[in-house]
Amino acid sequence: MARTIDLPRAVLHFCRRSGIAVAAAVLLAALAQAAAAAPAKAERQMVAAANPLAAEAGRDILRAGGSAIDAAIATSLVLNLVEPQSSGIGGGAFLLHYDGKSGDVTAYDGRETAPAAVGPDLFLRPDGEPMGFWEAVVGGRSVGVPGLVRMFERAHKAHGRLPWATLFEPAIRLAEEGFAVSPRLNALIAADTYLKSDPAAAAYFYEPGGAPLAVGTRLRNPAFAETLRRIARDGADAFYSGPVAEAIVAAVQGAANPGSLGLADLAGYEAKQRDPVCAPYRAWRVCGMPPPTSGGVAVLQILGILQGFDLPALTPESAAAWHLIAEASRLAFADRNRFLADADFVPVPVGDLLDPAYLARRGALISPNASLGEAEPGLPAQNGAMPVQHDPPSTTHLAVVDADGNGVSMTASIENAFGARLMAAGFMLNNELTDFSFRPEVDGRPVANRVQAGKRPRSSMSPTLVLDGNGKLALAVGSPGGSRIIGYVVKSVVAVLDWGLDIQAAINLPNVVNRNGATDVEDGASSDALAAGLAALGHEVKRRPLNSGLHGIAVTENGLAGGADPRREGVALGD
Ligand code: GLU
């Protein structure tokens, strides 16, 4: 067994006593960063996830003979409980599965859908102007039909080994016995303005006097245990109809800012199996998630452009390397912002965007000596432009490899931290509909990512699998971070494949992200020289915290190596 983070008791004690939640979380993150120097190692099987209790649950399932999918489901259900701000059955996910026997990669889409009764004006005020972000998020309006449970059902039918109900046992047990509120959960409750506005959330996350639950408080969630028992016993239908569905609808329609999500929307939800998007990257093959996320296409575009440059000859400290990555990224974001949306509703030219000849042409726009500034999309315009996304501190990524060599890379989300700030049947409801463009038209042309009934909002989630030259799994990785996810994932892939870093060192590297504007360089002394070098190449450099949540597993000659992002609370555990 290996743990990447072992929080000293004295520090936890200090945090509890001090009540300075945010400072405590920062201190813990710094300590974790120092601790997370080496990757976790395992011989046969491993789980990397954003919380130790969740990773333990996944590892227990692997020890009981479960498959990678079984472990991913159990891990995710515990994450729902212990990291409720980030993901859960009230939200959605994208999952990539690698079959150790056949080498096949399958993509599962559990993204939320817009209810039948909404249209392009969902986030417009009566005067036709877009709502403010929080005005749209808080309440029932932003809640999409949750997809996680149907997606799990579908993936488990195809790749599960243990009985469905077994996968719910760790989360049910922890929900009944209680778990200790983590520094990160405490800090996010303390920082939240809107969570108290929902009576169920107020009762669950705060002391009776209104103080946020302190670090270490034992938190029980019998309502969630009851919900999980129903789904464990009766299958996914027990989520999409009956008392759980009724509780969701009551919360959405009864909210101060009500939404239209109804029982028929829930009953009609379908998780989709899709073909992954895959492309060669030097000696490897990289696979990502197709639309409705922009993540897979954008990551592959960036890598496809970088393939034309000798990154392996450069180092992770070199401004020249990050300049190339940032420039490739701005080119990819120009296309992403224009073309990517739910391809079941609008035409998305995925093949053209990933065409190697097209990417070579795009790469030819990059100068090694100076930034090209804001990039234009490279294909003829067919849709209007779309607004840039915000950057919520939520969402979660987990990776699993089982003893048969099957792998899972899954990013799950309820969008913003604590989603729509509505709690139903023991879990938080997503605000994923605010990932749609609030403006349905720009310059008289319809926006690809406009709201449409039944449509899935564009995402940036980028669960990624890398295969080696023999088609064997080499790496499973992904991250939260809004549209910066794309940059975080590219960093990890390049660091492992081109620079030969182990997965933990790759995750630890300072984040550098360009979304076709300023180049964000993560705060910290270790990246000062890099920031100066990029500025000298003409980048508008912005220093800021870049709170990735990368979790990954690399399959190496010496077994499995796991990495967990020291910027959050995760671990990699294996045998
Ligand atoms: N809702 C975002 C998306 O689907 C993810 C938010 C986050 O990463 O925190 O892209």
Side-chain angles (χ1 to χ4, degrees):
M1 184 202 97
R3 264 192 125 134
T4 53
I5 301 178
D6 189 13
L7 299 176
R9 272 174 190 284
V11 175
L12 282 172
H13 185 67
F14 162 77
C15 299
R16 244 175 251 138
R17 295 290 301 271
S18 73
I20 310 168
V22 175
V26 168
L27 179 59
L28 285 166
L31 282 166
Q33 190 134 23
K41 299 274 193 197
E43 280 168 27
R44 292 177 299 127
Q45 54 194 21
M46 184 172 255
V47 180
N51 180 286
L53 293 168
E56 275 165 23
R59 188 189 48 184
D60 288 348
I61 289 291
L62 292 175
R63 285 179 175 170
S67 66
I69 280 288
D70 293 337
I73 295 172
T75 303
S76 172
L77 293 171
V78 173
L79 284 172
N80 186 157
L81 180 70
V82 300
E83 203 200 20
Q85 73 278 6
S86 289
S87 72
I89 61 176
F94 296 115
L95 185 154
L96 289 182
H97 179 265
Y98 173 81
D99 186 307
K101 216 177 253 160
S102 66
D104 291 344
V105 176
T106 314
Y108 292 95
D109 171 351
R111 183 70 163 170
E112 298 86 339
T113 55
V118 304
D121 59 351
L122 180 66
F123 297 120
L124 295 181
R125 293 180 181 149
D127 66 0
E129 282 303 303
M131 292 178 175
F133 182 68
W134 297 111
E135 189 184 348
V137 166
V138 180
R141 178 180 295 272
S142 65
V143 181
V145 186
L148 194 70
V149 176
R150 274 279 181 244
M151 189 195 77
F152 280 159
E153 173 186 61
R154 190 159 188 165
H156 181 257
K157 271 191 185 136
H159 314 285
R161 198 176 299 141
L162 295 180
W164 171 254
T166 304
L167 313 179
F168 289 70
E169 284 169 9
I172 292 171
R173 195 172 52 244
L174 268 175
E176 284 173 347
E177 290 174 2
F179 64 96
V181 169
S182 74
R184 185 171 163 77
L185 175 54
N186 159 274
L188 287 166
I189 299 170
D192 205 276
T193 311
Y194 305 103
L195 192 55
K196 264 187 202 156
S197 60
D198 177 59
Y204 182 63
F205 289 111
Y206 297 83
E207 299 290 356
L213 294 180
V215 175
T217 307
R218 183 177 279 282
L219 185 55
R220 294 183 180 80
N221 191 340
F224 188 53
E226 167 70 19
T227 293
L228 292 183
R229 277 191 195 288
R230 285 179 193 279
I231 306 169
R233 191 183 59 224
D234 299 331
D237 288 350
F239 180 90
Y240 290 94
S241 59
V244 178
E246 284 156 18
I248 295 172
V249 169
V252 169
Q253 298 189 357
N257 177 18
S260 65
L261 192 155
L263 288 174
D265 294 309
L266 284 158
Y269 181 84
E270 197 194 334
K272 307 241 176 173
Q273 184 179 321
R274 300 189 186 276
D275 292 332
V277 285
C278 298
Y281 183 62
R282 308 194 205 278
W284 293 271
R285 188 168 175 76
V286 180
C287 292
M289 191 73 209
T293 186
S294 61
V297 170
V299 167
L300 292 183
Q301 277 201 309
I302 296 168
L303 294 175
I305 293 171
L306 290 174
Q307 197 154 225
F309 297 88
D310 194 3
L311 273 187
L314 300 172
T315 67
E317 295 78 34
S318 112
W322 290 104
H323 166 68
L324 295 173
I325 296 169
E327 297 293 279
S329 181
R330 61 166 79 245
L331 289 162
F333 265 83
D335 283 345
R336 167 200 183 268
N337 293 350
R338 177 65 62 85
F339 298 109
L340 266 293
D342 183 349
D344 293 344
F345 280 73
V346 295
V348 182
V350 173
D352 293 344
L353 291 169
L354 295 179
D355 176 15
Y358 170 68
L359 293 175
R361 281 203 305 281
R362 295 290 274 169
L365 298 172
I366 298 178
S367 152
N369 306 318
S371 175
L372 60 88
E374 192 176 327
E376 291 296 320
L379 295 175
Q382 58 176 17
N383 303 301
M386 288 182 283
V388 173
Q389 241 180 334
H390 61 107
D391 185 23
S394 51
T395 307
T396 202
H397 185 82
L398 64 89
V400 186
V401 174
D402 71 20
D404 292 329
N406 302 307
V408 166
S409 187
M410 173 179 125
T411 314
S413 184
I414 54 171
E415 215 301 289
N416 209 264
F418 304 104
R421 296 356 187 239
L422 290 178
M423 198 172 197
F427 56 91
M428 299 307 297
L429 296 176
N430 72 83
N431 66 298
E432 218 73 60
L433 299 187
T434 57
D435 274 357
F436 282 118
S437 171
F438 285 22
R439 283 185 197 276
E441 286 187 357
V442 171
D443 299 333
R445 280 198 307 228
V447 172
N449 187 34
R450 66 190 178 278
V451 183
Q452 293 176 271
K455 188 178 179 182
R456 294 165 195 232
R458 182 192 65 192
S459 169
S460 301
M461 294 192 279
S462 312
T464 301
L465 294 174
V466 179
L467 312 185
D468 67 17
N470 299 316
K472 290 277 167 218
L473 184 62
L475 180 66
V477 72
S479 180
S483 55
R484 291 191 175 88
I485 290 173
I486 291 161
Y488 300 153
V489 168
V490 166
K491 171 194 82 169
S492 312
V493 171
V494 165
V496 171
L497 302 188
D498 287 343
W499 295 330
L501 296 191
D502 69 58
I503 180 67
Q504 186 63 58
I507 289 171
N508 291 357
L509 277 185
N511 286 313
V512 179
V513 175
N514 189 299
R515 299 178 294 170
N516 201 16
T519 299
D520 299 324
V521 179
E522 189 171 8
D523 276 338
S526 65
S527 47
D528 283 351
L530 190 58
L534 287 166
L537 286 163
H539 291 252
E540 182 201 340
V541 171
K542 286 214 173 118
R543 305 302 304 272
R544 41 168 293 151
L546 289 171
N547 192 13
S548 54
L550 287 153
H551 296 103
I553 300 175
V555 184
T556 76
E557 285 169 359
N558 308 315
L560 303 174
D565 203 319
R567 300 164 187 85
R568 302 208 182 195
E569 295 177 333
V571 291
L573 301 174
D575 301 301

